[in-house]
Amino acid sequence: MKKIDVCLSPDLIHLYDLSALAVVVVDIFRATSCMVTAFASGAAEIVPVEEVELCQEYGARGYLTAAERNGITPAGFDFDNSPFSYQVEKVKGAKICVTTTNGTVAIRRSSTAPAVYVGAFLNISRIASALKEWNGNALVVCAGWKGKPNLEDTLFAGALIDALTGEYEVADDAALMAWKQYNVASNDLLTAVKNSSHVNRLLGLGIEKDIAFCLEFDRYSVLPKLEGDALRLV
């Protein structure tokens, strides 16, 4: 049977051989939730970059831009890091360059894998379907927070493993921990994350509605995949 593992932080990705894996990158609060929402709103392409300055360079080339550092958007960008920002008409057909504290770092560090998908609770069934079709092992890369694991990304990993029961078996303890944690929390994810560090950061910014939105299952049926330097729908 195929195996699925979980990398709890991009800082641990050097421990994994990505050369034959399908990778799912997740940053629930909020980068990959934003990307999934942008594609559902009609975005044509999203370029994830690690540096604010590189994102600005893409802006000079005609891309719309989005940036986030420590939950806050620097001045001069078209979008912040809320999925609600992408539910607007100008997203349709747009090419967007994005840089965030954690999510875009995780995507770039995963880019050597033969298949890299962007996942969220918002599109979890499409992610599960893609992995069922993949003829090999898989890895969920959690964006975490500045190198540390976080609860919401780990819960997504557990939920995905749960959805793949019978198709994949857990590869290691990180995957087993994620799966068991999800089984404990699955009846009420919002309550499960209420005391987490990232939720407390977001509540401090006054964006409670983002938290509930990002925990919704299957609001969208889109599958973003990294092709070269850009994410596009497949």
Side-chain angles (χ1 to χ4, degrees):
M1 187 180 289
K2 298 183 289 186
K3 293 185 177 182
I4 186 167
D5 210 343
V6 177
C7 177
L8 295 171
S9 160
D11 285 8
L12 299 174
I13 204 165
H14 65 280
L15 301 175
Y16 300 85
D17 179 3
L18 304 184
S19 61
L21 298 178
V23 171
V24 179
V25 179
V26 57
D27 185 355
I28 294 299
F29 299 146
R30 294 166 285 166
T32 61
S33 296
C34 287
M35 293 172 186
V36 168
T37 301
F39 279 115
S41 299
E45 173 184 302
I46 296 176
V47 178
V49 299
E50 294 190 45
E51 301 85 10
V52 169
E53 295 77 15
L54 183 55
C55 190
Q56 292 170 326
E57 291 177 15
Y58 271 91
R61 292 161 49 185
Y63 281 68
L64 297 179
T65 58
E68 172 269 329
R69 288 296 183 271
N70 299 315
I72 299 170
T73 300
F77 290 85
D78 297 291
F79 302 104
D80 60 21
N81 200 36
S82 169
F84 295 103
S85 297
Y86 294 88
Q87 298 175 5
V88 293
E89 185 64 28
K90 70 178 179 179
V91 171
K92 189 173 183 179
K95 294 182 177 181
I96 305 170
C97 184
V98 179
T99 182
T100 68
T101 306
N102 306 292
T104 57
V105 173
I107 294 170
R108 297 313 318 164
R109 293 186 185 178
S110 302
S111 62
T112 58
V116 180
Y117 301 102
V118 161
F121 286 110
L122 297 169
N123 71 332
I124 192 169
S125 288
R126 285 300 306 275
I127 294 293
S129 294
L131 293 188
K132 288 176 182 178
E133 295 173 5
W134 176 255
N135 186 27
N137 298 330
L139 177 69
V140 182
V141 176
C142 301
W145 178 260
K146 296 184 178 181
K148 297 178 181 180
N150 68 21
L151 181 57
E152 64 275 7
D153 296 348
T154 304
L155 287 172
F156 170 87
L160 183 60
I161 291 167
D162 199 65
L164 293 170
T165 300
E167 298 276 346
Y168 284 80
E169 61 183 8
V170 296
D172 212 336
D173 283 359
L176 184 60
M177 288 188 294
W179 191 17
K180 286 184 175 294
Q181 184 64 45
Y182 172 72
N183 286 334
V184 171
S186 60
N187 287 335
D188 190 350
L189 290 181
L190 192 58
T191 297
V193 303
K194 69 177 182 178
N195 293 319
S196 68
S197 58
H198 208 156
V199 164
N200 288 330
R201 280 188 290 271
L202 294 178
L203 290 176
L205 297 173
I207 44 181
E208 294 89 342
K209 65 179 183 177
D210 286 22
I211 298 167
F213 183 89
C214 292
L215 295 175
E216 289 187 29
F217 278 72
D218 291 326
R219 174 179 277 264
Y220 304 122
S221 182
V222 295
L223 183 63
K225 184 180 181 183
L226 190 65
E227 297 179 347
D229 288 330
L231 292 161
R232 299 183 179 90
L233 289 182
V234 293

